[in-house]
Amino acid sequence: MDGQVVKDPAHRGNNLRLHLTVGMRAFIETNAEWLTVFHLPTYAPDLNPQEGIWSLVKREIGNLAAADLTQITRAVKRRLKRIQYRPELVDGCLATTA
């Protein structure tokens, strides 16, 4: 972020082990002057817009009988590309978050 100023940066942490490490806690304490941390429940799909996006992806590939990982990867990328060009879907995922 060379030259960019971030107003009110925030970290959304859940109870993932990485977020509870001594190193992460030290980082948060060291940067508490400018960093705001919000602790979320471990699984909170209603607070995470990406959960809505993955839900849209899984609807399409849920019945895919893939022969290998490459086929799954292609299907996911294809669905994400289609979602990218339908901003109303993304807006819907954002609107459902608190």
Side-chain angles (χ1 to χ4, degrees):
M1 297 187 353
D2 296 342
Q4 294 181 15
V5 176
V6 177
K7 182 177 169 53
D8 299 326
H11 166 73
R12 294 181 309 154
N14 54 24
N15 290 323
L16 184 69
R17 287 186 183 190
L18 171 68
H19 298 149
L20 303 174
T21 64
V22 173
M24 180 59 85
R25 288 182 183 167
F27 176 81
I28 292 168
E29 287 176 22
T30 302
N31 298 288
E33 187 175 303
W34 61 268
L35 178 66
T36 303
V37 177
F38 298 98
H39 293 283
L40 301 176
T42 303
Y43 181 69
D46 53 324
L47 300 176
N48 295 309
Q50 70 269 19
E51 295 289 346
I53 299 294
W54 283 118
S55 175
L56 294 170
V57 171
K58 289 187 279 186
R59 283 183 204 166
E60 181 164 311
I61 67 167
N63 292 324
L64 177 67
D68 56 20
L69 186 57
T70 303
Q71 190 176 6
I72 296 170
T73 303
R74 272 195 311 260
V76 169
K77 286 181 177 180
R78 188 172 43 249
R79 181 61 176 149
L80 286 172
K81 182 64 93 174
R82 276 195 238 140
I83 291 169
Q84 178 183 357
Y85 291 106
R86 299 208 34 216
E88 72 278 3
L89 292 178
V90 176
D91 289 347
C93 293
L94 292 171
T96 60
T97 60

